[in-house]
Amino acid sequence: MKKRYSILFAILSVAIWLPIYAINIPSTHLVSPTWLAKNMYNKLLVIVDTRRADEYNAGHIPDAVSIPVNSMMENRNGIPSYVASPDKIIKLFRQKGISNNSYIVFYSGNGRATSFVASTREFWTAWYYGLSNLAVLRGGFNRWKAEKRAISKVPIMLKHGNFTIKEMRLNTIATLPYVDYAVTTKKVQLLDSREPAHFFGRDNDPRLAKHGHILGAKELFIGNFSKKVGSYYEIGNESYIKTIFKKAGFNFDKPIITYCNTGYYGSGSWFVIRFVLNYGQTALYDGSMVEYSKMPNRSVIK
């Protein structure tokens, strides 16, 4: 009898610990719904829904936690898009069950060509604060639904994480002085991720003090990186993205700063450059045009 209980205990121990294992994240940091379904019950995995809270409540991927994208941003001096402070990120990540050994998959709705930028903005923030085991769900929630996978409306029981900041990837963020350096020296390329109307100053966005683009920037709309597949959009592969960059006149012998109005679209450009194209010399200007247009003695070109 004692031997039987010992065997049963051993079996239960294996069952309890089996879901904890290292996960292989692709070099592009893009994963498919099949990949997620295979790994979603690993205790180290945290699935993050970046959509609005009401969208999350209407239905989400099972066991996903809700972190709307603006939760990782903060307003300082009237600029709404700065990366959130270390204290705020530590508190948020711990509340959502994130630890330093977590694997995190971010997903958006992906019903539009630009939807994926909510995921890339949160990915960029986590990467900036030192996490590496990160991925974006290719095709997002719309692809998950299109493949008729399980959807839940049940809020999950949050476990407390123990995230601490062990390093910060400061070269991931482009500060205003670095943007000034790019404008003055032309040794750094500037990528404007917005639509042509914004680039050429034909918009009426009230957040901007001046309309147009940074001197020397090239326009490459973030929506160009997505391909429509049925009811969802997904980021194209390396060959597809590389062709788009070549046509837009970018090269990969100089660093690239990405920007938009508030750092959403720019994060998508940063992501595809850094991981889909595997080019490390890129940084996001998170203040973007909302900040730049309000700065004195800076040229905004139409």
Side-chain angles (χ1 to χ4, degrees):
M1 181 67 71
K2 186 175 180 181
K3 182 178 180 182
R4 183 183 301 172
Y5 280 125
S6 297
I7 294 172
L8 179 60
F9 178 78
I11 293 172
L12 288 173
S13 297
V14 171
I16 291 171
W17 290 105
L18 186 60
I20 301 178
Y21 55 87
I23 303 175
N24 180 34
I25 293 179
S27 61
T28 61
H29 289 260
L30 286 166
V31 298
S32 68
T34 298
W35 183 100
L36 181 56
K38 177 183 176 181
N39 293 289
M40 66 189 304
Y41 296 110
N42 188 321
K43 292 182 180 180
L44 296 178
L45 186 71
V46 179
I47 306 169
V48 175
D49 188 317
T50 67
R51 301 173 301 157
R52 299 190 314 268
D54 62 306
E55 293 176 304
Y56 173 85
N57 292 333
H60 55 266
I61 294 175
D63 291 332
V65 298
S66 175
I67 307 182
V69 65
N70 58 3
S71 303
M72 294 195 193
M73 303 164 76
E74 65 184 25
N75 190 317
R76 296 197 297 272
N77 301 319
I79 311 301
S81 55
Y82 289 128
V83 63
S85 66
D87 288 345
K88 183 175 180 179
I89 290 297
I90 289 171
K91 181 179 179 181
L92 175 66
F93 281 12
R94 289 180 178 179
Q95 286 176 341
K96 298 299 182 177
I98 295 173
S99 301
N100 292 76
N101 66 341
S102 295
Y103 293 81
I104 309 172
V105 176
F106 301 95
Y107 73 86
S108 314
N110 285 59
R112 302 188 308 276
T114 58
S115 298
F116 73 92
V117 300
S119 294
T120 56
R121 175 69 196 220
E122 293 199 9
F123 181 111
W124 173 82
T125 303
W127 186 264
Y128 173 71
Y129 278 114
L131 294 178
S132 298
N133 296 323
L134 310 171
V136 169
L137 180 62
R138 189 189 288 273
F141 186 65
N142 277 27
R143 180 177 175 184
W144 184 269
K145 286 195 303 181
E147 295 184 1
K148 302 187 184 306
R149 298 181 183 273
I151 294 173
S152 174
K153 293 185 180 181
V154 179
I156 71 166
M157 294 290 292
L158 290 173
K159 59 182 180 180
H160 201 72
N162 58 16
F163 172 72
T164 59
I165 297 173
K166 295 183 177 180
E167 67 168 320
M168 291 174 63
R169 295 185 173 99
L170 300 179
N171 62 351
T172 298
I173 193 167
T175 60
L176 182 59
Y178 186 38
V179 174
D180 290 338
Y181 172 81
V183 172
T184 303
T185 67
K186 297 181 173 55
K187 292 182 178 180
V188 179
Q189 301 168 96
L190 290 161
L191 188 159
D192 190 316
S193 305
R194 301 171 300 164
E195 299 94 329
H198 287 267
F199 182 79
F200 291 110
R202 297 194 295 266
D203 65 296
N204 58 0
D205 192 323
R207 298 170 298 178
L208 304 181
K210 293 175 283 189
H211 298 264
H213 59 271
I214 299 173
L215 179 65
K218 295 186 180 77
E219 189 269 337
L220 183 49
F221 177 46
I222 187 66
N224 292 341
F225 301 141
S226 292
K227 302 175 75 172
K228 194 172 192 308
V229 183
S231 61
Y232 61 88
Y233 287 83
E234 65 177 31
I235 298 172
N237 60 25
E238 179 183 2
S239 175
Y240 179 80
I241 300 294
K242 190 173 289 185
T243 299
I244 293 171
F245 270 86
K246 186 175 180 180
K247 287 182 178 179
F250 287 93
N251 57 67
F252 295 96
D253 58 4
K254 292 193 292 187
I256 303 173
I257 294 173
T258 67
Y259 75 91
C260 51
N261 279 345
T262 57
Y264 283 93
Y265 285 9
S267 74
S269 300
W270 171 85
F271 180 87
V272 299
I273 294 168
R274 178 63 183 82
F275 296 108
V276 179
L277 298 181
N278 193 29
Y279 186 65
Q281 295 187 65
T282 183
L284 168 65
Y285 176 29
D286 63 337
S288 281
M289 284 303 296
V290 171
E291 177 184 68
Y292 194 84
S293 68
K294 295 177 180 179
M295 294 295 105
N297 305 317
R298 265 76 173 189
S299 297
V300 174
I301 308 300
K302 292 186 178 182

